[in-house]
Amino acid sequence: MENPEFELDVVAIVNDTVGTMMTCAYEEPTCEVGLIAGTGSNACYMEETKNIEIVEGNEGRMCVNMEWGAFGDNGCLDDIRTRYDQAVDENSLNEGKQRYEKMCSGMYLGEIVRQILIDLTKRGFLFRGQISETLKTRGIFETKFLSQIESDRLALLQVRAILQQLGLDSTCDDSIIVKEVCGTVSRRAAQICGAGMAAVVDKIRENRGLDHLDITVGVDGTLYKLHPHFSRIFQQTVKELAPKCDVNFLLSEDGSGKGAALITAVGCRQRELEAQQH
């Protein structure tokens, strides 16, 4: 790239998911899948080159960045999408897109909960049937509140205190219902994300003609790391839906940065070798 101020030599363009996989693969050679479960959601994996139509040759493997957040944009998830998912989608900046991500990533879980709370309040099950101005505010219920409310150490009085911070005057019964709603939304998110990962690892097993696959998944993302139950439910779902795969999950620290550096180093080395050959 040419720039009047500086010269920039682009060796590789790497997204955070691939970077996460590469960082963990450096530590653990069986790592062939990357997962981001945070504000957004995405996965990548090592596919057999012979299965990639746009690449010549049949030898070796190639990393495929799935951008799986867009799964369902063609309507294939409509059977499991709720009216709350539809409301979140309609009020988003990219309506009709990233539908899978909108069901299982941190950016949207709080908003799903808010839509459910509004519906339950309208039906008279919550907050004495009174919808506050606060509850009408899009984005007011942040995903971090789910993590706080679902903490096993949190008593109902503390749940009420969190709701009061949001301007929601709640009774103990309200707090019980809100906690149940939060748990249901995050549990579904973990199971949906886990189902996607189970499909990926089982595809790798089938591609290689194996009866059993041992594989490691490199993981990064605040939802996976900070939510009190997400990672456990996610891992249990993968285990149930991919019984022929023994999947190990390895947490990545600053995966995207380290992984990009590793890929750049390899790219530079390959370029030097090619230059020497010519």
Side-chain angles (χ1 to χ4, degrees):
M1 294 176 64
E2 292 185 5
N3 187 293
E5 294 184 17
F6 59 86
E7 290 185 7
L8 183 64
D9 183 14
V10 179
V11 177
I13 298 176
V14 185
N15 77 351
D16 56 350
T17 317
V18 177
T20 293
M21 183 188 74
M22 289 301 298
T23 300
C24 293
Y26 184 72
E27 301 173 24
E28 173 51 62
T30 61
C31 181
E32 298 186 77
V33 183
L35 171 71
I36 299 294
T39 306
S41 185
N42 190 24
C44 68
Y45 73 103
M46 297 303 293
E47 176 62 90
E48 308 300 307
T49 303
K50 63 185 179 183
N51 294 335
I52 302 175
E53 296 177 359
I54 61 173
V55 177
E56 294 182 4
N58 294 320
E59 299 300 318
R61 293 167 186 154
M62 181 178 179
C63 179
V64 173
N65 170 38
M66 297 177 67
E67 292 296 338
W68 78 2
F71 179 52
D73 289 4
N74 63 352
C76 65
L77 290 178
D78 287 356
D79 286 346
I80 64 169
R81 289 176 78 234
T82 66
R83 61 178 178 274
Y84 310 117
D85 295 311
Q86 291 167 7
V88 169
D89 183 31
E90 288 168 5
N91 291 313
S92 68
L93 297 174
N94 56 344
E95 184 179 353
K97 300 188 181 301
Q98 300 296 107
R99 289 183 176 180
Y100 182 70
E101 183 173 71
K102 286 172 182 172
M103 297 171 78
C104 65
S105 75
M107 180 177 284
Y108 301 98
L109 298 189
E111 187 61 13
I112 294 172
V113 168
R114 188 182 72 88
Q115 292 290 342
I116 296 172
L117 297 186
I118 287 175
D119 186 38
L120 292 177
T121 305
K122 284 180 179 176
R123 296 197 211 176
F125 297 127
L126 269 177
F127 309 131
R128 305 175 190 83
Q130 301 297 314
I131 299 178
S132 67
E133 287 302 314
T134 305
L135 196 56
K136 293 177 185 177
T137 307
R138 189 162 68 92
I140 193 69
F141 205 99
E142 298 175 37
T143 298
K144 69 178 181 182
F145 295 132
L146 270 76
S147 295
Q148 293 171 3
I149 288 171
E150 289 182 70
S151 172
D152 294 328
R153 299 189 300 273
L154 210 63
L156 285 179
L157 280 173
Q158 291 168 297
V159 174
R160 287 183 70 184
I162 291 172
L163 294 175
Q164 283 171 351
Q165 287 176 19
L166 293 168
L168 302 171
D169 185 20
S170 63
T171 64
C172 271
D173 286 345
D174 289 337
S175 300
I176 292 169
I177 293 171
V178 171
K179 189 163 185 173
E180 184 65 29
V181 169
C182 290
T184 301
V185 169
S186 59
R187 188 184 313 117
R188 185 192 71 154
Q191 290 173 332
I192 286 174
C193 193
M197 183 51 62
V200 171
V201 295
D202 212 44
K203 181 183 191 304
I204 293 172
R205 182 190 63 79
E206 290 179 357
N207 282 351
R208 298 176 187 178
L210 300 174
D211 293 327
H212 184 84
L213 175 71
D214 288 303
I215 197 166
T216 297
V217 177
V219 189
D220 202 353
T222 51
L223 187 60
Y224 188 94
K225 290 180 176 179
L226 301 181
H227 189 279
H229 307 299
F230 185 94
S231 61
R232 174 181 54 80
I233 297 168
F234 168 82
Q235 291 181 22
Q236 184 61 36
T237 303
V238 175
K239 190 173 183 178
E240 289 175 5
L241 297 182
K244 295 181 180 180
C245 301
D246 187 5
V247 187
N248 177 46
F249 296 93
L250 184 60
L251 280 178
S252 166
E253 298 299 332
D254 185 29
S256 53
K258 292 177 183 175
L262 283 166
I263 292 171
T264 301
V266 172
C268 288
R269 182 62 179 152
Q270 282 184 329
R271 195 162 61 178
E272 287 174 8
L273 289 172
E274 289 171 2
Q276 289 171 7
Q277 289 171 358
H278 295 306

